[in-house]
Amino acid sequence: MNAAKDKFMRFLRSPWIFLVVLALILALTTLFSSPGARVEEISYSEFLDMLDAGKVESVQVVDNQLKIKPVGNPDGGLPTYYTTMTVSDEYLIDQMRAAGVEFSASEPSQPLSILDLLMSGVSLIMMGFMVYWIVMLVRSSRKGGKDGGGGGLGGFGFAKSNAKQYDVQKCETRFHDVAGQDEAKESLIEIVDILKNPGRYTSVGAEIPKGALLVGPPGTGKTLLAKAVAGEAGVPFFFVSGSAFVEMFVGTGAARVRDLFKQASQKAPCIIFIDEIDAIGKKRDGTGFSGNDEREQTLNQLLAEMDGFDPEKGIMVLAATNRPEILDKALLRPGRFDRRIPVELPDMKGRQEILQVHARKKKMSPGVDLKRVADATPGASGAELANILNEAALAAVRDHRDAITQADLDKATEFVIAGSEKKSMVISPEEKRIIAYHEIGHALVAIKQKNAVPVRKITIIPRTNGALGFTMQAEEEEHVLQTREDLTNRLEVLVAGRAAEELMFATCTSGASNDIERATAIARQMITRFGMNDEIGLMALDTVVNPYLDAELRSNASPEAAAKVEHEMKKLINAAYDSAMRTLRENAGMLNKLAEYLLLHENITGDEMKSLMDEEQLSAGA
């Protein structure tokens, strides 16, 4: 009974009840309103008789009628007016003047239409709704001021945090679900222990850290690590994006921060995870409007909340960003985000472990070699590796197989690296021949180098990313350092395609554009960042901007130094080109044989290429 009564009372307090009652009052007022006067129609002669008898007080000409107001009120009730049709009477004005009658003329009034009634009703309803909104806003503002909630915007949900809460039962991610990030997991294991046993640390006087910042490129598993911490600790997990705090209403972001920490304090111990914290944590540079900038207010509230809560209650704030260089220093000081945990791109061992984790949920054929995929994907993130396995599964389904094969994995790797095959593209035989010699030029120079990176595959099938063909190389071992010789070898391989074009066809094409861009970037870094040029010396003339995103270079060189850098870059690339051209001239017969084979088959594996080269050498020796 009480529940039904409460439901009925909530129904009565609904704003729609207020609006419906207002509309009904308007309709009843319009329908049942009584007229303000009684009107009778008389003849023109009767009007003249009244005028002669002095019984007319005023006359109003309305369109083609005369509205006559008599002297006094003959009926003693409602006011009575008489109307009559006008006639052409040139003496009427003189008669009315002689009798002392007031007379005037006016525009005819339009009758009130249904549309007019509807518009008036809508206007009144909107006004009523605005009044109701303002009243509720004031009430919620007072209530919010008492309980420290979201202020005047709380009653309408503006101040409510958009954090998604994952309960203990739903947060099933554990550390064994995260691979390739051993160092990051080691740093987070202590946070798990703190959430489980905070007294263990406070007993020796240790201050419990309040937050940790996960820093790394996109797709490396920062959010997954945060969920794993919550899963290992067995505590609720609040997930929210930094952009969810920034709204057009000033004060909304700060109110949402207050509401988020209020929810977290009720669920403690728990974890708050703020993804892309750079959306609200940018450096304060004073460009806001008199301190009222919404982002700055939100940041200030976040700083205040992190200072205000008791870490012994078990609230841990984790945040993730791939732009740590733009964060405000106040956010990174000890006592707020105490720890900075790098989540880097995985190495070769890490890539293989990540593939194994994602392969658990896939049906794999016996003998599949995941290390082969890991070798071919240096610099790939965990998300990209997961995408490779997913594409391999899709390829298996398209070919009507019930398990993923090695061919599916190789095809998926090529798809992620270079895009899908574009077999419908029409290429003339002459252009296809140039492309074949171009790609074989890359591969032949790579194989002939000392400590060469093995060639995995050469193809002249166009790809959707714009490549007309490509040569895939795959390191068998992970290298932390790059020597001058390694970088010089990469330069020679990159310019070898253009060298093969000029050697065999005495021309050059636009197909080497991407090779030239990559060679130029390597040469510049060798000179301006790695100190591998005797003329420039050990000077850093370029600085990396956004290292976890596009790693763009910002030049710090003077105009004179920049000109010298370009001169040395040209020398370096020209030397690599001359070396590649020399290798191709010395192996012109091999270049022709391999190019013809590639034209015939469109694809060559590294093993096939080695067999063809061994056969050529045997026949030459015989």
Side-chain angles (χ1 to χ4, degrees):
M1 187 68 182
N2 291 332
K5 182 179 179 181
D6 292 341
K7 186 175 181 181
F8 179 71
M9 293 303 295
R10 286 196 301 269
F11 173 74
L12 291 180
R13 288 194 295 267
S14 171
W16 303 111
I17 294 297
F18 173 77
L19 299 178
V20 170
V21 171
L22 184 64
L24 287 175
I25 293 174
L26 173 67
L28 292 173
T29 302
T30 304
L31 289 175
F32 298 104
S33 59
S34 59
R38 188 160 56 90
V39 181
E40 292 183 9
E41 187 173 356
I42 61 175
S43 64
Y44 190 75
S45 60
E46 289 177 317
F47 162 60
L48 293 179
D49 292 341
M50 289 177 64
L51 189 61
D52 292 339
K55 295 180 180 181
V56 178
E57 180 179 333
S58 64
V59 175
Q60 188 177 22
V61 181
V62 181
D63 199 11
N64 61 345
Q65 284 188 331
L66 298 178
K67 185 178 180 182
I68 305 153
K69 181 180 181 184
V71 175
N73 188 2
D75 293 339
L78 293 173
T80 302
Y81 290 88
Y82 301 104
T83 62
T84 185
M85 298 296 293
T86 60
V87 297
S88 179
D89 188 351
E90 58 183 0
Y91 302 107
L92 179 59
I93 295 178
D94 294 335
Q95 288 177 291
M96 288 191 293
R97 283 179 176 174
V101 176
E102 296 180 4
F103 58 91
S104 62
S106 63
E107 292 291 334
S109 59
Q110 297 294 330
L112 195 61
S113 65
I114 298 298
L115 181 61
D116 295 331
L117 291 175
L118 289 176
M119 293 300 294
S120 301
V122 171
S123 300
L124 284 175
I125 289 173
M126 293 302 295
M127 290 176 62
F129 184 77
M130 290 299 297
V131 171
Y132 178 85
W133 192 84
I134 293 171
V135 170
M136 293 300 296
L137 187 65
V138 172
R139 287 180 59 188
S140 64
S141 177
R142 291 175 179 174
K143 182 179 179 181
K146 291 178 182 178
D147 60 14
L153 300 172
F156 294 92
F158 294 137
K160 293 293 182 182
S161 169
N162 293 328
K164 296 179 182 178
Q165 180 184 343
Y166 296 85
D167 293 328
V168 180
Q169 294 79 8
K170 295 182 180 179
C171 194
E172 300 177 351
T173 307
R174 300 293 186 269
F175 279 144
H176 62 76
D177 297 316
V178 185
Q181 299 294 344
D182 295 339
E183 294 78 10
K185 286 195 289 188
E186 288 177 7
S187 301
L188 291 170
I189 285 174
E190 189 175 34
I191 292 179
V192 173
D193 192 42
I194 290 172
L195 288 169
K196 287 184 174 180
N197 307 298
R200 204 175 144 201
Y201 296 86
T202 57
S203 63
V204 296
E207 293 187 5
I208 296 177
K210 293 184 177 181
L213 184 66
L214 304 174
V215 178
T220 50
K222 298 183 287 295
T223 303
L224 192 64
L225 280 168
K227 287 184 179 180
V229 172
E232 293 286 345
V235 298
F237 177 75
F238 290 90
F239 174 85
V240 64
S241 174
S243 60
F245 293 111
V246 182
E247 296 285 349
M248 63 178 291
F249 300 105
V250 175
T252 304
R256 287 181 175 176
V257 171
R258 286 194 296 270
D259 185 70
L260 173 61
F261 278 86
K262 182 180 177 182
Q263 293 181 50
S265 64
Q266 295 170 352
K267 295 284 186 178
C270 64
I271 290 175
I272 297 174
F273 178 64
I274 305 175
D275 197 13
E276 304 296 344
I277 195 174
D278 48 273
I280 58 172
K282 289 182 181 179
K283 295 176 183 177
R284 291 167 289 185
D285 52 8
T287 58
F289 297 100
S290 303
N292 289 327
D293 180 68
E294 170 67 1
R295 183 181 286 109
E296 185 171 327
Q297 286 195 17
T298 305
L299 173 59
N300 291 337
Q301 187 63 45
L302 178 61
L303 298 176
E305 291 292 339
M306 293 194 70
D307 286 340
F309 75 84
D310 184 3
E312 294 185 13
K313 293 180 66 175
I315 299 177
M316 181 65 64
V317 183
L318 300 180
T321 183
N322 42 45
R323 301 185 66 190
E325 69 281 355
I326 69 169
L327 294 180
D328 195 275
K329 290 183 178 180
L331 199 64
L332 303 177
R333 74 161 175 80
R336 287 173 181 152
F337 286 101
D338 303 85
R339 299 186 176 187
R340 178 167 170 166
I341 302 175
V343 186
E344 304 287 350
L345 292 170
D347 56 13
M348 184 181 295
K349 177 175 174 290
R351 292 195 298 275
Q352 188 172 354
E353 292 174 352
I354 291 172
L355 290 167
Q356 290 170 351
V357 168
H358 290 291
R360 295 175 193 165
K361 300 179 181 179
K362 306 285 190 301
K363 190 173 181 181
M364 313 293 290
S365 296
V368 168
D369 186 9
L370 295 177
K371 185 178 183 301
R372 179 179 173 87
V373 180
D375 293 345
T377 53
S381 65
E384 290 170 328
L385 295 171
N387 188 36
I388 288 176
L389 280 177
N390 188 61
E391 290 294 336
L394 294 175
V397 173
R398 283 193 297 267
D399 294 341
H400 307 288
R401 289 189 299 275
D402 58 357
I404 299 173
T405 64
Q406 189 68 51
D408 294 328
L409 288 173
D410 292 343
K411 187 183 295 184
T413 303
E414 295 173 15
F415 172 77
V416 172
I417 293 175
S420 60
E421 294 182 353
K422 197 175 180 181
K423 294 183 178 180
S424 60
M425 188 174 182
V426 179
I427 302 176
S428 66
E430 182 61 25
E431 288 181 334
K432 197 169 185 178
R433 189 175 188 83
I434 294 175
I435 295 170
Y437 274 92
H438 180 107
E439 297 302 334
I440 292 297
H442 288 308
L444 186 57
V445 170
I447 286 179
K448 290 295 182 178
Q449 287 176 343
K450 184 180 179 182
N451 300 323
V453 178
V455 175
R456 172 74 60 85
K457 182 177 181 178
I458 311 105
T459 179
I460 55 172
I461 298 176
R463 298 282 168 161
T464 53
N465 70 346
L468 299 175
F470 69 89
T471 300
M472 180 188 294
Q473 294 178 266
E475 292 271 11
E476 294 180 345
E477 296 180 359
E478 192 80 17
H479 294 285
V480 179
L481 299 176
Q482 298 182 81
T483 64
R484 182 188 303 188
E485 290 73 23
D486 292 337
L487 294 172
T488 302
N489 286 345
R490 288 177 61 188
L491 285 177
E492 291 179 8
V493 173
L494 286 170
V495 297
R498 167 59 64 84
E501 292 177 5
E502 296 195 353
L503 176 64
M504 304 308 297
F505 302 97
T507 187
C508 57
T509 70
S510 59
S513 60
N514 183 256
D515 300 331
I516 295 171
E517 290 176 7
R518 292 164 60 192
T520 303
I522 293 173
R524 184 175 187 87
Q525 291 191 70
M526 290 176 67
I527 295 169
T528 62
R529 294 188 60 221
F530 304 151
M532 295 180 179
N533 181 266
D534 296 334
E535 187 68 25
I536 301 298
L538 304 179
M539 289 195 301
L541 299 180
D542 284 342
T543 303
V544 178
V545 183
N546 297 333
Y548 294 119
L549 292 177
D550 52 8
E552 181 183 354
L553 294 180
R554 177 186 297 164
S555 178
N556 304 319
S558 64
E560 295 79 9
K564 189 178 292 185
V565 166
E566 291 175 359
H567 177 71
E568 294 299 317
M569 286 169 58
K570 185 176 180 180
K571 284 174 57 179
L572 197 58
I573 294 173
N574 286 344
Y577 178 85
D578 292 340
S579 177
M581 181 65 80
R582 188 163 49 250
T583 301
L584 293 175
R585 282 199 180 102
E586 293 171 355
N587 298 274
M590 187 80 67
L591 177 63
N592 284 316
K593 182 176 181 178
L594 293 173
E596 293 298 331
Y597 187 88
L598 180 59
L599 276 170
L600 182 63
H601 295 85
E602 293 188 329
N603 294 298
I604 301 180
T605 64
D607 294 337
E608 287 177 325
M609 185 172 178
K610 286 181 180 179
S611 298
L612 290 171
M613 292 179 68
D614 291 340
E615 291 176 5
E616 180 70 16
Q617 290 175 354
L618 287 174
S619 61

